[in-house]
C-alpha cells in the first residue's frame, strides 16, 4: 500500500513499495514454538503466550495497523513492527526486511 510504504520510508526504512506480505508455514511454526510457550511472560516481560487465535489476526494487524514502526538493525537489515489495538489487547507483528541490491 502506498501510504504504508511512505510511512516506512519517512521513518528511515527501506523502500518497500511494490512488496507484498508473506507468512510461511515455517514462520508460523517459529512464532508458536518461540513465542507460544507458557513461560513467555517470564522470558519477555509484558507479553503473554501467542495463540492460534492471535495468528488468525495477522491480516487485520498488517492491513489495518494502529501503528507502524521501523527498527533499523544495521546495514541492509531492518524490521517493521505492525501494531493493532483490539478490545482487550495489543497485537504486534514483526516483519524482517533484508535489503539486497
Amino acid at each position: 500500500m502506498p501510504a504504508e510504504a511512505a510511512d516506512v520510508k519517512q521513518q528511515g526504512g527501506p523502500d518497500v513499495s511494490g512488496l507484498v506480505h508473506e507468512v510461511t508455514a515455517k514462520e508460523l511454526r517459529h512464532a508458536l514454538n518461540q513465542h507460544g510457550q507458557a513461560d513467555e511472560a517470564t522470558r519477555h516481560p509484558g507479553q503473554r503466550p501467542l495463540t492460534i487465535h492471535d495468528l488468525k489476526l495477522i491480516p487485520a494487524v498488517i492491513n489495518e495497523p494502529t501503528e507502524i514502526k521501523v527498527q533499523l538493525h544495521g546495514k541492509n537489515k531492518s524490521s517493521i513492527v505492525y501494531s493493532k489495538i483490539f478490545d482487550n489487547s495489543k497485537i504486534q507483528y514483526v516483519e524482517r526486511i533484508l535489503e539486497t541490491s
Side-chain angles (χ1 to χ4, degrees), residues 23-67:
V23 181
T24 66
K26 179 181 177 183
E27 291 157 342
L28 292 173
R29 275 192 305 278
H30 163 82
L32 286 173
N33 289 337
Q34 297 299 313
H35 306 288
Q37 305 303 313
D39 67 345
E40 183 68 14
T42 302
R43 294 183 302 125
H44 299 102
Q47 294 187 21
R48 62 173 175 73
L50 184 69
T51 67
I52 296 291
H53 174 72
D54 296 330
L55 295 177
K56 291 178 181 179
L57 294 173
I58 290 173
V61 174
I62 60 177
N63 291 325
E64 303 165 6
T66 304
E67 179 180 41

Side-chain angles (χ1 to χ4, degrees), residues 70-90:
V70 174
Q71 296 176 337
L72 303 175
H73 301 289
K75 187 175 180 177
N76 299 328
K77 289 188 247 175
S78 56
S79 296
I80 303 173
V81 181
Y82 298 85
S83 302
K84 183 161 179 76
I85 297 173
F86 292 92
D87 291 336
N88 60 353
S89 65
K90 177 179 179 181

